[in-house]
Amino acid sequence: MTNNSVYIGVAGGAEMVHFSAYASIMNMTRRDGDSVPTFIQGTKGYEVRQNHFDRFIASDHDYMLLLDGDMVFPEDTLERLRSWERPYVSGLYCYRTLSPIRLMWFQPWDGNFPFKPWIDPPERGRLHDIGASGWGCVLIHRDVVMATRGILAGEYDVLEDDMDVWPGTDLVLRGMQRPIIGSDIRYPFYARAAGYQLQGDPDVRPRHLLTYGLSPDDYENQPPERLEATRQLLADMVGAVTE
């Protein structure tokens, strides 16, 4: 297929299915040639998402849209992400936490670990270069996957890893540092090394389900003093990792 068709893969937990999330995914606008969403549940998210990577590459689709099964998505989610015609684009959403409310975006990598969290609400109406975003709402072109696999030298696409050395070599990357790097941080790091910068659309705003759908709008509407407290808390968390 050459019409920018999309394989849609949904990762879910082993026990719970959220009907509102399921309905939003099934009602998402798709084009002729796009796949029906494929739902895979499992206790280990990295195994589920690796399964989606493998199914995507075995397909004829140009893009893969990875979604989390516990989020409610706007109907135009796929069309908005695809309309940018970029190889690697994420929506904006929040962690499943209320104290503090945190955006699931990281600043572009500055050459040091750990990645720095995104604090200020991003300007709307344009794409932003971001360092990482999570797997919950991301569109990836197959060129990104194939180029990144060249960097990964046989390692899984989706893997929680200490990233101590460059894959397939003895060249030191982080050395023997902790903590383990999450797969959603690791992948955009190596994709960038392969020449593909992850970008984020702040106007694609799925709601993460807790007792209700937590949205980036909730993050932006916090009082300034609450946002400043979040800023300090995250700075302390990053500092604790680097010490």
Side-chain angles (χ1 to χ4, degrees), residues 4-149:
N4 290 335
S5 69
V6 178
Y7 168 90
I8 304 172
V10 186
E15 297 179 356
M16 185 178 297
V17 175
H18 299 274
F19 177 76
S20 56
Y22 175 84
S24 74
I25 293 168
M26 295 306 297
N27 290 330
M28 193 176 292
T29 300
R30 305 193 303 269
R31 299 179 188 174
D32 290 343
D34 294 340
S35 79
V36 173
T38 298
F39 291 78
I40 303 178
Q41 291 181 280
T43 56
K44 296 181 179 179
Y46 72 89
E47 292 180 341
V48 171
R49 295 182 181 100
Q50 183 62 52
N51 193 325
H52 281 308
F53 266 83
D54 293 339
R55 290 178 181 227
F56 165 55
I57 291 302
S59 76
D60 294 325
H61 295 289
D62 303 297
Y63 283 93
M64 171 174 60
L65 178 67
L66 281 178
L67 306 172
D68 276 359
D70 63 350
M71 301 205 301
V72 176
F73 297 89
E75 188 173 321
D76 65 350
T77 293
L78 172 55
E79 282 302 283
R80 283 193 61 91
L81 293 177
R82 178 162 44 191
S83 70
W84 291 105
E85 297 184 345
R86 302 296 177 87
Y88 192 17
V89 188
S90 172
L92 176 66
Y93 59 101
C94 294
Y95 285 83
R96 291 184 70 250
T97 62
L98 287 172
S99 184
I101 301 176
R102 296 174 57 190
L103 295 176
M104 186 70 86
W105 275 13
F106 289 81
Q107 298 285 348
W109 191 55
D110 62 4
N112 299 293
F113 291 97
F115 280 56
K116 308 302 188 297
W118 194 287
I119 302 294
D120 295 321
E123 177 187 352
R124 300 180 71 157
R126 69 179 183 89
L127 289 178
H128 298 263
D129 288 351
I130 57 178
S133 68
W135 293 115
C137 180
V138 61
L139 185 70
I140 310 174
H141 195 276
R142 69 168 47 246
D143 288 349
V144 177
V145 177
M146 298 310 297
T148 304
R149 284 186 170 184

Side-chain angles (χ1 to χ4, degrees), residues 135-239:
W135 293 115
C137 180
V138 61
L139 185 70
I140 310 174
H141 195 276
R142 69 168 47 246
D143 288 349
V144 177
V145 177
M146 298 310 297
T148 304
R149 284 186 170 184
I151 296 288
L152 291 175
E155 292 185 359
Y156 285 154
D157 305 284
V158 186
L159 183 67
E160 296 177 0
D161 186 18
D162 57 9
M163 294 178 65
D164 56 342
V165 297
W166 280 93
T169 76
D170 295 323
L171 296 175
V172 174
L173 177 53
R174 294 178 69 229
M176 298 302 292
Q177 296 188 36
R178 294 293 184 269
I180 296 295
I181 302 295
S183 64
D184 53 350
I185 302 290
R186 171 182 174 271
Y187 192 80
F189 174 86
Y190 286 125
R192 183 175 178 273
Y196 291 96
Q197 172 66 53
L198 175 59
Q199 296 182 293
D201 182 344
D203 295 301
V204 176
R205 298 188 159 210
R207 293 181 287 121
H208 220 151
L209 292 172
L210 295 116
T211 53
Y212 85 112
L214 183 65
S215 163
D217 294 337
D218 297 300
Y219 184 86
E220 291 184 357
N221 292 332
Q222 297 179 97
E225 61 272 16
R226 177 79 180 200
L227 185 60
E228 182 57 35
T230 299
R231 184 194 309 275
Q232 186 58 53
L233 176 62
L234 295 179
D236 292 344
M237 291 169 62
V238 171

